[in-house]
Amino acid sequence: MKKKQITGLLIAGLLFAAIGVISVFTNAAADKLMDKLSGELLGSDMTFLPPEEDYIAVVDVKGTISQQTSTSILTDQGSSYQHDTTMEYIDELMDDDNNKGILLYVDSPGGAVYESEELYNKLMEYKKETKRPIYTYMAHYAASGGYMASVASDKIYANQNTVTGSIGVIMSGYDLTGLYKKLGIRYVSITSGKNKDSSRLTKEQQEIYQSQVDECYETFVSKVAKGRKMSEKQVKKLADGRTYTATQAKKNGLIDEIRSYDDMKNEMSKKLKTDEFYEPESKVSLLSELFAKANALVPKSEAQVLKETADDCESGGLMYYAEGLQ
């Protein structure tokens, strides 16, 4: 093949790619305009456009319950929990008379104390303001913060293979002083007080942090006791941080029924006299999918994996989070 032909093909390929990218941006802009004209645009490109008839709203709590990150067309966040979007969605449901209840679909190991409690409080506000019921369905996990959200509901269903419970609080981090010493790195800090730097935990600092964990634990226990109509003493017998199978959870009063998702929906439909279920659609652009797939193909270094693990689970903050076996 001649040099001119090769050059021509390369130019044609670049032009094709450029036109494709411009088309994606144009379509995304048009979609957003139509969304604003036809329905309420929630965060993370989700549109609230409910049926014009009685319906049950599906509210997903999937993945780690944490602060919502800024959205980007280069990032696909459709499969993870979006906190601010979920709060807005529930607010919209409270104002919609056609909504007859919430099906809370939980598949989460829990997450940050702040967002977990905020989600619980928003669900309780929904029930108080609307007098409508909330039913929870537990999928793979509904543990710790995921369980806290669940106890806001009137009835809890679980799959036979659900893992739930883990009622408790964790605050964790890494002590890297030994590694620093081995690598010849000296950590230096200048503080205004003896408890400002916790890189080397003293007994006093451990007691300070333990008091914070204990306070959050008592809050968690009180919410479970209220939601499950149990005494706090009964809850504390179960709330040592352990997880439970669905069978164990039902035996201990932590859930109500073990059912398939379809069976649960059928029972809820009969109770609320509507078989219409609704959840807002999340729009993911073609460009987002392409970048997400490309990113997945790039291998991560051990340092990246360690840093992401530390950021996600060992942040040093208070967490209602269920840690699995490593």
Side-chain angles (χ1 to χ4, degrees), residues 135-150:
Y135 286 20
T136 289
Y137 187 81
M138 297 177 169
H140 301 84
Y141 295 97
S144 211
Y147 184 70
M148 175 181 283
S150 300

Side-chain angles (χ1 to χ4, degrees), residues 56 118 147 179 230 285 293:
I56 297 166
E118 196 168 53
Y147 184 70
L179 178 60
M230 300 166 68
S285 70
K293 289 177 181 179

Side-chain angles (χ1 to χ4, degrees), residues 124-139:
M124 294 298 289
E125 179 187 352
Y126 169 89
K127 289 205 305 181
K128 180 180 179 181
E129 294 297 324
T130 67
K131 311 302 180 186
R132 303 169 200 155
I134 299 175
Y135 286 20
T136 289
Y137 187 81
M138 297 177 169

Side-chain angles (χ1 to χ4, degrees), residues 20-307:
V21 170
I22 292 170
S23 176
V24 168
F25 278 100
T26 304
N27 289 337
D31 285 343
K32 284 192 175 182
L33 179 60
M34 289 303 296
D35 287 337
K36 289 181 179 179
L37 292 173
S38 61
E40 183 71 23
L41 187 65
L42 303 178
S44 191
D45 287 338
M46 293 180 71
T47 307
F48 182 69
L49 191 60
E52 295 182 356
E53 59 183 316
D54 290 352
Y55 69 93
I56 297 166
V58 179
V59 177
D60 285 335
V61 181
K62 297 178 180 178
T64 301
I65 302 171
S66 61
Q67 182 178 2
Q68 182 161 330
T69 56
S70 58
T71 59
S72 167
I73 61 169
L74 303 183
T75 306
D76 178 11
Q77 296 179 333
S79 60
S80 62
Y81 175 72
Q82 298 293 297
H83 184 69
D84 295 341
T85 303
T86 303
M87 297 294 101
E88 292 176 33
Y89 178 29
I90 297 172
D91 282 334
E92 292 293 338
L93 294 175
M94 284 193 276
D95 293 333
D96 187 359
D97 292 335
N98 288 332
N99 171 246
K100 299 304 175 186
I102 286 178
L103 191 168
L104 189 70
Y105 185 93
V106 182
D107 196 354
S108 171
V113 162
Y114 183 94
E115 283 75 20
S116 296
E117 289 199 19
E118 196 168 53
L119 174 59
Y120 169 88
N121 290 335
K122 180 60 69 176
L123 292 168
M124 294 298 289
E125 179 187 352
Y126 169 89
K127 289 205 305 181
K128 180 180 179 181
E129 294 297 324
T130 67
K131 311 302 180 186
R132 303 169 200 155
I134 299 175
Y135 286 20
T136 289
Y137 187 81
M138 297 177 169
H140 301 84
Y141 295 97
S144 211
Y147 184 70
M148 175 181 283
S150 300
V151 299
S153 63
D154 300 275
K155 196 167 184 179
I156 299 177
Y157 294 76
N159 184 275
Q160 62 180 353
N161 295 309
T162 293
V163 175
T164 188
S166 189
I167 302 167
V169 190
I170 184 170
M171 177 187 282
S172 56
Y174 289 104
D175 181 357
L176 300 176
T177 52
L179 178 60
Y180 284 171
K181 185 175 181 180
K182 187 175 181 179
L183 296 174
I185 300 172
R186 188 167 69 93
Y187 173 78
V188 177
S189 67
I190 300 171
T191 69
S192 58
K194 61 181 180 178
N195 289 316
K196 186 63 177 176
D197 182 2
S198 58
S199 60
R200 294 172 179 153
L201 281 178
T202 63
K203 184 178 180 181
E204 181 181 6
Q205 288 172 337
Q206 287 179 333
E207 290 173 352
I208 291 170
Y209 289 127
Q210 186 64 55
S211 70
Q212 295 174 7
V213 167
D214 292 343
E215 182 179 319
C216 291
Y217 173 75
E218 293 295 333
T219 299
F220 198 163
V221 167
S222 68
K223 285 176 168 52
V224 175
K226 180 179 179 180
R228 300 307 299 164
K229 296 180 174 55
M230 300 166 68
S231 69
E232 292 192 6
K233 184 177 181 180
Q234 287 175 307
V235 174
K236 285 184 177 181
K237 287 182 179 179
L238 305 171
D240 59 3
R242 77 180 70 186
T243 57
Y244 296 91
T245 65
T247 301
Q248 293 169 339
K250 188 174 187 301
K251 181 179 179 181
N252 286 299
L254 297 177
I255 67 172
D256 297 298
E257 302 289 345
I258 300 175
R259 294 278 193 278
S260 70
Y261 185 50
D262 287 340
D263 286 343
M264 181 265 194
K265 288 178 69 177
N266 288 335
E267 290 183 24
M268 192 173 185
S269 291
K270 291 177 182 177
K271 181 73 175 179
L272 300 183
K273 298 178 181 179
T274 176
D275 57 2
E276 184 72 34
F277 287 85
Y278 166 79
E279 59 182 311
E281 293 184 2
S282 177
K283 293 191 175 182
V284 181
S285 70
L286 175 61
L287 193 59
S288 299
E289 294 181 348
L290 290 174
F291 272 91
K293 289 177 181 179
N295 186 57
L297 293 174
V298 179
K300 296 179 181 179
S301 67
E302 292 183 3
Q304 284 178 299
V305 173
L306 180 61
K307 183 179 183 303

